[in-house]
Coordinates of all heavy atoms in Angstrom, one line a residue:
Chain A
Q285 N 93.2 119.2 184.3 CA 93.4 118.4 185.5 C 94.6 119.0 186.3 O 94.6 119.0 187.5 CB 93.7 117.0 185.1 CG 92.5 116.3 184.6 CD 91.3 116.2 185.6 OE1 91.6 116.0 186.8 NE2 90.1 116.3 185.2
R299 N 89.5 121.6 193.9 CA 89.0 120.7 192.9 C 87.5 120.5 193.0 O 86.8 120.3 192.0 CB 89.6 119.3 193.2 CG 90.3 118.8 192.1 CD 90.8 117.4 192.3 NE 91.8 117.2 191.3 CZ 91.6 117.0 190.0 NH1 90.3 116.9 189.6 NH2 92.5 116.8 189.1
L407 N 65.5 150.7 191.2 CA 64.0 151.0 191.0 C 63.8 151.6 189.6 O 62.6 151.8 189.2 CB 63.5 151.9 192.1 CG 63.7 151.4 193.5 CD1 63.2 152.4 194.5 CD2 62.9 150.1 193.6
D408 N 64.8 151.9 188.9 CA 64.6 152.6 187.6 C 65.0 151.7 186.4 O 64.8 152.1 185.2 CB 65.5 153.8 187.5 CG 65.3 154.7 188.8 OD1 64.1 154.9 189.1 OD2 66.3 155.1 189.4
D409 N 65.7 150.6 186.6 CA 66.2 149.9 185.4 C 66.2 148.4 185.6 O 66.3 147.9 186.8 CB 67.7 150.3 185.2 CG 68.2 150.1 183.8 OD1 67.4 149.5 183.0 OD2 69.4 150.4 183.5
Q410 N 66.0 147.7 184.6 CA 66.0 146.2 184.6 C 67.4 145.6 184.7 O 68.3 146.2 184.0 CB 65.3 145.6 183.4 CG 63.8 145.9 183.4 CD 63.1 145.3 182.2 OE1 63.7 145.0 181.2 NE2 61.8 145.1 182.3
V411 N 67.6 144.6 185.4 CA 68.9 143.9 185.4 C 68.7 142.7 184.4 O 68.0 141.8 184.6 CB 69.2 143.3 186.8 CG1 70.4 142.5 186.8 CG2 69.4 144.5 187.8
E414 N 71.7 138.9 185.9 CA 71.7 138.9 187.4 C 73.1 138.5 187.9 O 73.6 139.0 188.9 CB 70.7 138.0 188.0 CG 69.3 138.6 187.9 CD 68.5 138.1 186.7 OE1 69.1 137.5 185.8 OE2 67.2 138.4 186.7
F453 N 70.4 132.8 181.3 CA 69.2 133.6 181.4 C 69.3 135.0 180.6 O 68.3 135.5 180.2 CB 68.9 133.9 182.9 CG 68.3 132.8 183.6 CD1 69.1 131.8 184.2 CD2 66.9 132.6 183.7 CE1 68.6 130.7 184.8 CE2 66.4 131.5 184.3 CZ 67.2 130.6 184.9
M456 N 69.0 135.5 176.0 CA 67.8 135.7 175.3 C 67.3 137.1 175.5 O 66.8 137.8 174.6 CB 66.7 134.7 175.8 CG 65.4 134.8 175.1 SD 64.2 135.8 176.0 CE 63.3 134.6 176.9
R457 N 67.4 137.6 176.8 CA 67.0 139.0 177.1 C 67.8 140.0 176.2 O 67.3 140.9 175.7 CB 67.2 139.3 178.5 CG 66.4 138.5 179.5 CD 66.8 138.7 180.9 NE 66.1 137.8 181.8 CZ 66.5 137.4 183.0 NH1 67.7 137.9 183.5 NH2 65.8 136.6 183.7
T459 N 69.2 139.5 173.4 CA 68.8 139.4 172.0 C 67.5 140.2 171.8 O 67.5 141.0 170.8 CB 68.5 137.9 171.7 OG1 69.7 137.1 172.0 CG2 68.2 137.8 170.2
G460 N 66.6 140.1 172.7 CA 65.4 140.8 172.6 C 65.6 142.3 172.7 O 65.1 143.1 171.9
V461 N 66.4 142.7 173.6 CA 66.6 144.2 173.8 C 67.4 144.7 172.6 O 67.1 145.8 172.1 CB 67.4 144.4 175.1 CG1 67.9 145.9 175.2 CG2 66.5 144.0 176.3
L463 N 67.3 143.8 169.6 CA 66.4 143.9 168.5 C 65.5 145.1 168.7 O 65.2 145.9 167.7 CB 65.5 142.6 168.5 CG 64.5 142.4 167.3 CD1 65.2 142.4 166.0 CD2 63.8 141.1 167.5
E464 N 65.1 145.4 169.9 CA 64.2 146.5 170.2 C 64.9 147.8 170.0 O 64.2 148.9 169.8 CB 63.6 146.4 171.6 CG 62.6 145.3 171.7 CD 62.5 144.7 173.1 OE1 63.0 145.3 174.1 OE2 61.8 143.6 173.2
I470 N 65.9 141.0 162.8 CA 65.6 139.8 163.4 C 66.6 138.7 163.0 O 67.0 137.9 163.8 CB 64.1 139.3 163.1 CG1 63.7 138.0 163.8 CG2 63.9 139.2 161.6 CD1 63.6 138.1 165.3
D471 N 67.0 138.8 161.8 CA 67.9 137.8 161.3 C 69.3 137.9 162.1 O 69.8 136.9 162.6 CB 68.2 138.0 159.8 CG 69.0 136.9 159.2 OD1 68.4 135.9 158.8 OD2 70.3 137.0 159.2
T474 N 69.0 136.9 165.8 CA 68.9 135.5 166.0 C 70.3 134.9 165.8 O 70.7 134.0 166.6 CB 67.9 134.9 165.1 OG1 66.6 135.5 165.3 CG2 67.7 133.4 165.3
R478 N 72.8 132.8 168.5 CA 73.5 131.5 168.1 C 75.0 131.6 168.3 O 75.6 130.7 168.9 CB 73.2 131.2 166.6 CG 71.9 130.6 166.3 CD 71.9 129.8 165.0 NE 70.7 129.2 164.8 CZ 69.7 129.7 164.0 NH1 70.0 130.8 163.3 NH2 68.6 129.0 163.8
L481 N 76.0 131.8 172.1 CA 76.0 130.5 172.8 C 77.1 129.5 172.3 O 77.7 128.8 173.1 CB 74.6 129.8 172.5 CG 73.4 130.5 173.1 CD1 72.1 129.9 172.7 CD2 73.5 130.6 174.7
K482 N 77.4 129.6 171.0 CA 78.5 128.8 170.5 C 79.8 129.2 171.1 O 80.6 128.4 171.5 CB 78.5 129.0 169.0 CG 79.6 128.3 168.3 CD 79.6 128.6 166.8 CE 81.0 128.5 166.1 NZ 81.0 129.0 164.7
W485 N 80.3 128.2 174.7 CA 80.5 126.8 174.9 C 82.0 126.4 174.7 O 82.5 125.5 175.3 CB 79.7 126.0 173.8 CG 79.8 124.5 174.0 CD1 80.3 123.6 173.1 CD2 79.2 123.7 175.0 NE1 80.2 122.4 173.6 CE2 79.5 122.4 174.7 CE3 78.6 124.0 176.2 CZ2 79.2 121.3 175.6 CZ3 78.2 123.0 177.1 CH2 78.5 121.7 176.8
W489 N 82.9 123.7 177.7 CA 83.0 122.2 177.6 C 84.3 121.6 178.1 O 84.2 120.5 178.7 CB 82.6 121.7 176.2 CG 83.7 121.8 175.2 CD1 84.0 122.9 174.4 CD2 84.6 120.8 174.8 NE1 85.0 122.7 173.6 CE2 85.4 121.4 173.8 CE3 84.8 119.5 175.1 CZ2 86.4 120.6 173.2 CZ3 85.8 118.8 174.5 CH2 86.6 119.3 173.5
L492 N 83.7 121.1 182.1 CA 82.5 120.8 182.7 C 82.5 119.6 183.6 O 83.0 118.5 183.3 CB 81.4 120.5 181.6 CG 80.7 121.7 181.0 CD1 79.6 121.2 180.0 CD2 80.1 122.6 182.0
H493 N 82.1 119.8 184.8 CA 81.9 118.8 185.8 C 81.1 119.4 186.9 O 80.9 120.6 187.0 CB 83.2 118.2 186.3 CG 84.0 119.1 187.1 ND1 85.0 119.9 186.6 CD2 83.9 119.4 188.5 CE1 85.5 120.6 187.6 NE2 84.9 120.3 188.7
G494 N 80.6 118.5 187.8 CA 80.0 119.0 189.1 C 78.9 120.0 188.8 O 78.0 119.8 188.0
L497 N 78.2 121.4 185.3 CA 77.6 120.5 184.4 C 76.1 120.5 184.7 O 75.2 120.5 183.8 CB 78.1 119.1 184.6 CG 77.5 118.0 183.6 CD1 77.8 118.4 182.2 CD2 78.1 116.6 184.0
R498 N 75.8 120.6 186.0 CA 74.3 120.7 186.4 C 73.7 122.0 185.8 O 72.6 122.0 185.3 CB 74.2 120.7 187.9 CG 72.8 120.6 188.4 CD 72.8 120.5 189.9 NE 71.5 120.6 190.4 CZ 71.2 120.8 191.6 NH1 72.1 120.9 192.6 NH2 69.9 120.9 192.0
A501 N 73.1 121.5 182.2 CA 71.8 120.7 182.0 C 70.6 121.7 182.0 O 69.7 121.6 181.2 CB 71.7 119.7 183.1
N504 N 70.7 123.9 178.9 CA 70.3 123.1 177.7 C 68.8 122.8 177.7 O 68.1 122.9 176.7 CB 71.0 121.8 177.7 CG 72.5 121.9 177.2 OD1 72.9 123.0 177.0 ND2 73.1 120.8 176.9
W505 N 68.3 122.6 178.9 CA 66.8 122.4 179.0 C 66.1 123.6 178.5 O 65.2 123.5 177.7 CB 66.5 122.0 180.5 CG 65.1 121.7 180.8 CD1 64.0 121.8 180.0 CD2 64.7 121.1 182.1 NE1 62.9 121.3 180.7 CE2 63.3 120.9 182.0 CE3 65.3 120.8 183.3 CZ2 62.5 120.4 183.0 CZ3 64.5 120.3 184.3 CH2 63.2 120.1 184.2
M506 N 66.5 124.8 179.0 CA 65.9 126.0 178.6 C 66.0 126.3 177.1 O 65.0 126.6 176.4 CB 66.5 127.2 179.4 CG 66.0 127.3 180.8 SD 66.5 129.0 181.4 CE 68.1 128.7 182.0
H508 N 67.3 124.3 174.5 CA 66.9 123.3 173.5 C 65.5 122.9 173.6 O 64.9 122.6 172.6 CB 67.9 122.1 173.5 CG 69.3 122.5 173.3 ND1 69.8 123.1 172.1 CD2 70.4 122.6 174.1 CE1 71.1 123.4 172.2 NE2 71.5 123.1 173.4
S509 N 65.0 122.8 174.8 CA 63.7 122.3 175.0 C 62.6 123.4 175.1 O 61.9 123.7 174.2 CB 63.6 121.4 176.2 OG 62.2 121.0 176.4
T510 N 62.7 124.2 176.2 CA 61.7 125.2 176.4 C 61.6 126.2 175.2 O 60.6 126.6 174.7 CB 61.9 125.9 177.7 OG1 61.8 125.0 178.7 CG2 60.8 127.0 177.9
L511 N 62.8 126.7 174.8 CA 62.8 127.7 173.7 C 63.0 127.1 172.3 O 62.8 127.7 171.3 CB 64.0 128.7 173.9 CG 63.9 129.5 175.3 CD1 65.2 130.3 175.5 CD2 62.7 130.4 175.3
N512 N 63.3 125.8 172.3 CA 63.5 125.1 171.0 C 64.4 125.8 170.0 O 64.1 126.0 168.8 CB 62.1 124.8 170.4 CG 62.3 123.7 169.2 OD1 63.2 123.0 169.2 ND2 61.2 123.7 168.4
I513 N 65.5 126.3 170.5 CA 66.4 127.2 169.8 C 67.0 126.5 168.6 O 67.4 127.2 167.6 CB 67.4 127.8 170.7 CG1 68.1 129.0 170.1 CG2 68.5 126.7 171.1 CD1 68.8 129.8 171.1
H515 N 65.5 125.0 166.4 CA 64.7 125.0 165.2 C 64.1 126.4 164.9 O 63.1 126.6 164.3 CB 63.5 124.0 165.4 CG 64.0 122.6 165.5 ND1 64.3 122.0 166.7 CD2 64.3 121.7 164.6 CE1 64.8 120.8 166.5 NE2 64.8 120.5 165.2
L516 N 65.0 127.4 165.2 CA 64.7 128.7 164.7 C 65.0 128.8 163.2 O 65.8 128.0 162.7 CB 65.6 129.7 165.5 CG 65.1 130.1 166.8 CD1 66.1 130.9 167.6 CD2 63.8 131.0 166.7
P517 N 64.4 129.7 162.5 CA 64.7 129.8 161.1 C 66.2 130.0 160.9 O 66.9 130.8 161.6 CB 63.9 131.1 160.6 CG 63.0 131.4 161.7 CD 63.4 130.7 163.0
Chain B
G38 N 61.0 119.4 189.0 CA 61.4 120.0 187.7 C 60.3 120.7 187.0 O 60.5 121.4 186.0
Y51 N 61.2 115.5 168.0 CA 62.2 115.3 166.9 C 62.9 113.9 167.1 O 63.2 113.5 168.2 CB 63.2 116.4 167.0 CG 62.6 117.8 166.8 CD1 62.3 118.6 167.9 CD2 62.4 118.3 165.5 CE1 61.8 119.8 167.8 CE2 61.8 119.6 165.4 CZ 61.5 120.3 166.5 OH 60.9 121.6 166.3
T108 N 57.5 129.4 170.9 CA 58.3 129.6 172.1 C 58.7 131.1 172.3 O 58.4 131.9 171.4 CB 59.6 128.8 172.0 OG1 60.6 129.5 171.2 CG2 59.4 127.4 171.5
A109 N 59.3 131.4 173.4 CA 59.7 132.7 173.8 C 60.8 133.3 172.9 O 61.2 134.5 173.1 CB 59.9 132.9 175.3
V110 N 61.4 132.6 172.0 CA 62.3 133.2 171.0 C 61.6 133.1 169.6 O 62.3 133.5 168.7 CB 63.7 132.5 171.0 CG1 64.5 132.8 172.3 CG2 63.6 131.0 170.7
A112 N 60.5 130.3 168.1 CA 60.6 129.0 167.4 C 59.2 128.4 167.5 O 58.4 128.7 168.4 CB 61.7 128.2 168.0
V113 N 59.0 127.4 166.6 CA 57.8 126.7 166.6 C 58.1 125.3 167.2 O 58.9 124.6 166.7 CB 57.2 126.6 165.1 CG1 56.0 125.7 165.1 CG2 56.9 127.9 164.6
R114 N 57.3 125.0 168.2 CA 57.7 123.8 169.1 C 56.6 122.8 169.1 O 55.4 123.1 169.5 CB 58.0 124.4 170.5 CG 58.5 123.3 171.4 CD 58.7 124.0 172.8 NE 59.3 123.1 173.7 CZ 58.8 122.0 174.3 NH1 57.6 121.7 174.1 NH2 59.5 121.3 175.2
K140 N 56.3 145.9 179.1 CA 57.7 146.3 179.0 C 58.5 146.0 180.3 O 59.7 145.9 180.2 CB 57.8 147.8 178.7 CG 57.3 148.2 177.3 CD 57.3 149.7 177.1 CE 56.8 150.0 175.7 NZ 56.4 151.5 175.6
Q141 N 57.7 145.8 181.4 CA 58.4 145.5 182.6 C 58.8 144.1 182.8 O 59.5 143.7 183.8 CB 57.5 146.0 183.8 CG 57.4 147.5 183.9 CD 56.4 148.1 182.9 OE1 55.7 147.4 182.2 NE2 56.4 149.4 182.9
K143 N 61.1 141.2 181.5 CA 62.3 141.2 180.7 C 62.5 139.8 180.0 O 63.4 139.7 179.2 CB 63.6 141.5 181.5 CG 63.8 140.5 182.6 CD 64.9 141.1 183.5 CE 65.0 140.2 184.8 NZ 65.9 140.8 185.8
D144 N 61.7 138.8 180.3 CA 61.8 137.5 179.7 C 60.9 137.3 178.5 O 60.7 136.2 178.0 CB 61.6 136.4 180.7 CG 62.8 136.2 181.6 OD1 63.9 136.4 181.1 OD2 62.6 135.9 182.8
H146 N 60.0 139.1 174.8 CA 60.4 140.1 173.8 C 59.5 139.9 172.6 O 59.9 139.1 171.7 CB 61.8 140.1 173.5 CG 62.7 140.5 174.7 ND1 62.9 141.8 175.1 CD2 63.2 139.7 175.7 CE1 63.6 141.8 176.2 NE2 63.8 140.6 176.6
A148 N 59.1 141.5 169.8 CA 59.7 141.6 168.5 C 60.5 140.4 168.1 O 60.5 140.0 166.9 CB 60.6 142.9 168.4
L149 N 61.1 139.8 169.1 CA 61.9 138.6 168.8 C 61.0 137.4 168.4 O 61.2 136.7 167.5 CB 62.7 138.2 170.1 CG 63.6 137.0 170.0 CD1 64.7 137.1 168.9 CD2 64.3 136.8 171.4
G152 N 59.0 138.3 165.1 CA 60.0 138.4 164.0 C 60.3 137.0 163.5 O 60.4 136.7 162.3
N153 N 60.6 136.1 164.4 CA 61.0 134.7 164.0 C 59.8 133.9 163.6 O 59.8 133.2 162.6 CB 61.7 134.0 165.2 CG 63.2 134.3 165.1 OD1 63.8 134.5 164.0 ND2 63.8 134.4 166.3
R156 N 58.8 134.6 160.0 CA 59.7 134.1 158.9 C 60.0 132.6 158.9 O 60.9 132.1 158.3 CB 61.1 134.9 158.9 CG 61.9 134.6 160.2 CD 63.0 135.6 160.3 NE 64.0 135.2 161.4 CZ 65.2 134.9 161.1 NH1 65.7 134.9 159.9 NH2 66.0 134.5 162.1
T157 N 59.1 131.9 159.6 CA 59.3 130.5 159.7 C 58.4 129.8 158.7 O 57.2 130.1 158.6 CB 58.9 130.0 161.2 OG1 59.8 130.6 162.1 CG2 58.9 128.5 161.3
V181 N 60.0 148.3 187.7 CA 60.5 148.3 186.3 C 60.9 146.9 185.9 O 61.1 146.6 184.7 CB 61.6 149.3 186.1 CG1 61.2 150.7 186.2 CG2 62.8 149.0 187.0
D182 N 61.1 146.0 186.9 CA 61.7 144.7 186.6 C 60.8 143.7 187.3 O 61.1 143.2 188.4 CB 63.1 144.7 187.2 CG 63.9 143.6 186.6 OD1 63.4 142.7 186.0 OD2 65.2 143.6 186.9
P246 N 61.1 131.1 180.1 CA 62.1 130.4 180.8 C 61.8 130.4 182.3 O 60.9 131.2 182.7 CB 63.4 131.2 180.6 CG 63.2 131.9 179.3 CD 61.7 132.2 179.3
P247 N 62.4 129.5 183.1 CA 62.0 129.4 184.5 C 62.1 130.8 185.3 O 63.0 131.6 184.9 CB 63.0 128.4 185.1 CG 63.6 127.7 183.9 CD 63.5 128.6 182.8
F312 N 71.2 115.0 185.6 CA 72.2 115.9 186.0 C 71.6 117.2 186.5 O 72.1 117.9 187.3 CB 73.2 116.2 184.9 CG 74.1 115.0 184.6 CD1 73.8 114.1 183.6 CD2 75.2 114.8 185.3 CE1 74.6 113.1 183.3 CE2 76.1 113.8 185.0 CZ 75.7 112.9 184.0
E313 N 70.4 117.6 185.9 CA 69.8 118.9 186.2 C 69.5 119.0 187.6 O 69.4 120.1 188.2 CB 68.6 119.1 185.3 CG 67.4 118.2 185.5 CD 67.5 116.8 184.9 OE1 68.6 116.5 184.4 OE2 66.6 116.1 185.1
S314 N 69.2 117.9 188.3 CA 68.7 118.0 189.7 C 69.9 117.6 190.6 O 69.8 117.8 191.8 CB 67.6 116.9 189.9 OG 68.2 115.6 189.7
G315 N 71.0 117.2 190.1 CA 72.1 116.7 190.9 C 72.0 115.2 191.3 O 72.8 114.7 192.0
D318 N 75.8 112.9 188.8 CA 76.9 113.9 189.0 C 78.1 113.4 188.2 O 78.4 112.2 188.2 CB 77.2 114.1 190.5 CG 78.4 115.1 190.7 OD1 78.3 116.2 190.2 OD2 79.4 114.7 191.3
M319 N 78.9 114.4 187.7 CA 80.2 114.0 187.2 C 81.2 114.8 188.0 O 81.1 116.0 188.2 CB 80.3 114.4 185.7 CG 81.7 114.1 185.1 SD 82.0 115.0 183.5 CE 81.2 113.8 182.4
D320 N 82.2 114.0 188.5 CA 83.2 114.7 189.4 C 84.3 115.3 188.5 O 84.3 115.2 187.3 CB 83.7 113.8 190.5 CG 84.7 112.7 189.9 OD1 85.1 112.8 188.7 OD2 85.0 111.8 190.7
S321 N 85.3 115.9 189.1 CA 86.3 116.7 188.4 C 87.2 115.8 187.6 O 88.0 116.2 186.8 CB 87.1 117.6 189.3 OG 87.8 116.8 190.3
Y322 N 87.2 114.5 187.9 CA 88.0 113.5 187.1 C 87.2 112.9 186.0 O 87.7 112.1 185.3 CB 88.5 112.4 188.0 CG 89.4 112.9 189.1 CD1 89.0 113.1 190.4 CD2 90.8 113.1 188.9 CE1 89.8 113.6 191.4 CE2 91.6 113.6 189.8 CZ 91.2 113.8 191.1 OH 92.0 114.3 192.1
H343 N 81.4 117.1 174.0 CA 82.2 117.5 172.8 C 82.1 119.0 172.6 O 81.3 119.7 173.3 CB 81.8 116.7 171.5 CG 80.4 117.0 171.1 ND1 80.0 118.2 170.5 CD2 79.3 116.2 171.2 CE1 78.7 118.1 170.2 NE2 78.3 116.9 170.6
G344 N 82.9 119.6 171.7 CA 83.0 121.0 171.6 C 82.1 121.7 170.6 O 82.2 122.9 170.5
Y346 N 78.8 123.1 169.9 CA 77.6 123.5 170.5 C 76.4 123.2 169.7 O 75.4 122.7 170.2 CB 77.6 124.9 170.9 CG 76.4 125.4 171.7 CD1 76.3 125.1 173.1 CD2 75.3 125.9 171.1 CE1 75.2 125.4 173.8 CE2 74.1 126.3 171.8 CZ 74.1 126.0 173.2 OH 73.0 126.3 173.9
W347 N 76.5 123.4 168.4 CA 75.3 123.2 167.5 C 75.4 121.9 166.8 O 74.6 121.6 165.9 CB 75.2 124.4 166.5 CG 74.9 125.7 167.1 CD1 75.8 126.7 167.3 CD2 73.7 126.1 167.8 NE1 75.2 127.8 167.9 CE2 73.9 127.4 168.3 CE3 72.5 125.4 168.0 CZ2 72.9 128.1 168.9 CZ3 71.5 126.1 168.6 CH2 71.7 127.4 169.1
Q351 N 74.9 116.5 173.6 CA 76.0 116.1 174.3 C 75.7 114.7 174.9 O 74.7 114.5 175.6 CB 76.3 117.1 175.5 CG 76.7 118.5 175.0 CD 78.0 118.5 174.2 OE1 78.8 117.7 174.4 NE2 78.1 119.4 173.3
F354 N 74.4 113.7 178.6 CA 73.0 113.9 179.1 C 72.1 112.7 178.7 O 70.9 112.7 179.1 CB 72.5 115.2 178.6 CG 73.2 116.4 179.2 CD1 73.8 117.3 178.4 CD2 73.3 116.5 180.6 CE1 74.5 118.4 178.9 CE2 74.0 117.6 181.1 CZ 74.6 118.5 180.3
W390 N 66.0 116.9 176.0 CA 65.8 118.3 175.6 C 65.8 118.5 174.1 O 65.1 119.3 173.6 CB 66.8 119.2 176.3 CG 66.8 118.9 177.8 CD1 65.7 118.8 178.6 CD2 67.9 118.6 178.6 NE1 66.0 118.5 179.9 CE2 67.4 118.3 179.9 CE3 69.3 118.5 178.5 CZ2 68.2 118.0 181.0 CZ3 70.1 118.2 179.6 CH2 69.5 117.9 180.8
Q391 N 66.7 117.8 173.4 CA 66.7 117.9 171.9 C 65.5 117.2 171.3 O 64.9 117.6 170.3 CB 68.0 117.4 171.3 CG 69.1 118.4 171.3 CD 69.8 118.6 172.6 OE1 69.5 117.9 173.6 NE2 70.8 119.5 172.7
L393 N 62.6 116.5 172.8 CA 61.4 116.9 173.4 C 60.6 115.6 173.8 O 59.5 115.4 173.3 CB 60.5 117.8 172.5 CG 61.2 119.0 171.9 CD1 60.2 119.9 171.2 CD2 61.9 119.8 173.0

Side-chain angles (χ1 to χ4, degrees):
Chain A
Q285 291 298 323
R299 236 182 198 289
L407 298 177
D408 310 313
D409 200 0
Q410 291 180 337
V411 175
E414 283 95 350
F453 286 87
M456 182 267 267
R457 295 171 187 158
T459 308
V461 171
L463 186 59
E464 286 153 14
I470 183 68
D471 188 88
T474 304
R478 280 203 176 97
L481 294 174
K482 177 182 154 188
W485 187 247
W489 77 275
L492 275 187
H493 68 266
L497 183 62
R498 186 177 173 194
N504 281 8
W505 186 349
M506 280 194 273
H508 300 296
S509 176
T510 301
L511 299 175
N512 195 18
I513 197 165
H515 297 91
L516 279 169
Chain B
Y51 299 96
T108 75
V110 292
V113 174
R114 185 185 189 284
K140 289 174 183 165
Q141 289 77 9
K143 64 190 172 192
D144 283 326
H146 294 275
L149 180 61
N153 273 327
R156 66 193 190 114
T157 296
V181 293
D182 198 347
F312 289 95
E313 68 282 1
S314 64
D318 179 53
M319 179 194 275
D320 73 10
S321 64
Y322 298 97
H343 64 73
Y346 185 81
W347 294 109
Q351 299 295 333
F354 295 123
W390 307 313
Q391 274 82 1
L393 309 186

